[in-house]
Amino acid sequence: MSYIVRSNAAMPKPRAWTVNQPTEQKVRSESAKIMTRRVDIEWMSGDGEIHQKSAIAPAMPLFEDAFCAFAQGTLIQTADGYVAIEDLSPGMQIATADGGTQPLKWIGSMTIFPHNVNLGVEEASLFRLTEGGYGLDRSAPDLMLGPSARLLPGIMATDSSSCLIPIEELADGNSVIRIRPFSPVRVFHICLDSHRLIRANGVLAETFHPGGNTHMHLSHEMFAHYLALFPHVTSEADFGPLNHKR
């Protein structure tokens, strides 16, 4: 389980923990300036080796957007059929709607929590797409998405003229329902060789891409920490172009 903690340090190091140490959840300081979150990443290096590690990242939208697009249980289309996102591993061939199959290069995850004043946890939202909404495969279960997911709704072109829409803007209480979780939920995001459209429970959604100006919103030190969460790249340019407008 991931824990949200507060720290006065600019970039705290991960601390040992077990599920039998509930005090880890309660580390607070009234003067704390930075809230952090544990994230888990797995990636494929240039030599084809698979690596994994846990890290501590600031609980800032720019960081969290890289981890909270698809809830655990989401079925991602691969070259061998649909696979639950938590069972994906780097090197697996992911089917895209606009670029054939591509190897999974990076998968990141974190846990979002119910609102908890005592822990300083902000209110989190998930979004449930009901059966048949936005091209959902009727044989698939409802799709649960995290707040950073972007979709290509309806029948739209899958080339560069298509425009991705944040899931929050699609929430209408009918086809897309906002859910406030009552228990912790694991959420994920993935990177391929390039920014692409993939099918999650049959719905077209984007793979992770930081956009083009991430470095402009972070200090040099913070941007270096951000990029370190993606060991499969060496610079922001390595994510390639943003193939679909947002």
Side-chain angles (χ1 to χ4, degrees):
M1 179 177 291
S2 300
Y3 297 100
I4 292 179
V5 299
R6 291 182 182 275
S7 169
N8 287 318
M11 205 71 268
K13 296 180 180 179
R15 297 167 52 184
W17 58 273
T18 72
V19 294
N20 295 319
Q21 293 178 324
T23 54
E24 287 289 339
Q25 294 184 349
K26 300 179 181 179
V27 179
R28 295 192 67 197
S29 170
E30 294 302 322
S31 61
K33 300 297 183 182
I34 297 177
M35 187 165 67
T36 59
R37 186 189 295 276
R38 170 179 158 160
V39 297
D40 296 298
I41 60 176
E42 190 173 2
W43 73 97
M44 183 169 65
S45 58
D47 58 5
E49 292 292 321
I50 307 301
H51 308 269
Q52 59 182 6
K53 71 174 182 178
S54 297
I56 296 295
M60 299 166 53
L62 203 58
F63 282 78
E64 295 186 345
D65 281 353
F67 297 90
C68 56
F70 307 101
Q72 183 169 332
T74 298
L75 301 175
I76 303 297
Q77 189 178 27
T78 73
D80 298 317
Y82 280 95
V83 176
I85 193 165
E86 64 269 23
D87 294 329
L88 295 177
S89 60
M92 294 181 67
Q93 293 292 322
I94 306 299
T96 77
D98 57 343
T101 59
Q102 291 195 10
L104 178 64
K105 288 300 185 68
W106 177 96
I107 181 168
S109 64
M110 71 180 197
T111 298
I112 59 176
F113 296 88
H115 182 56
N116 190 315
V117 175
N118 294 328
L119 296 180
V121 178
E122 301 293 334
E123 184 175 54
S125 294
L126 293 173
F127 298 86
R128 180 167 65 88
L129 273 70
T130 57
E131 181 182 353
Y134 298 97
L136 194 63
D137 183 346
R138 292 186 179 276
S139 65
D142 287 358
L143 175 60
M144 193 75 73
L145 296 172
S148 70
R150 291 184 179 88
L151 303 184
L152 193 68
I155 301 174
M156 299 177 66
T158 57
D159 57 23
S160 59
S161 67
S162 55
C163 187
L164 293 153
I165 301 176
I167 186 62
E168 187 171 14
E169 294 185 12
L170 296 171
D172 58 7
N174 184 21
S175 296
V176 180
I177 302 171
R178 183 190 296 269
I179 303 292
R180 289 177 172 81
F182 289 99
S183 60
V185 178
R186 199 74 178 159
V187 286
F188 299 77
H189 218 330
I190 64 174
C191 284
L192 307 181
D193 277 329
S194 57
H195 180 233
R196 293 298 175 188
L197 294 173
I198 58 173
R199 290 183 174 85
N201 288 29
V203 175
L204 289 175
E206 70 168 346
T207 58
F208 177 73
H209 191 289
N213 299 306
T214 302
H215 62 286
M216 296 179 63
H217 303 288
L218 297 171
S219 67
H220 177 75
E221 180 182 3
M222 195 68 80
F223 178 69
H225 182 66
Y226 179 85
L227 202 60
L229 297 175
F230 306 95
H232 67 296
V233 302
T234 57
S235 70
E236 192 174 13
D238 290 339
F239 287 101
L242 194 65
N243 289 324
H244 297 273
K245 295 180 293 184
R246 292 170 171 172

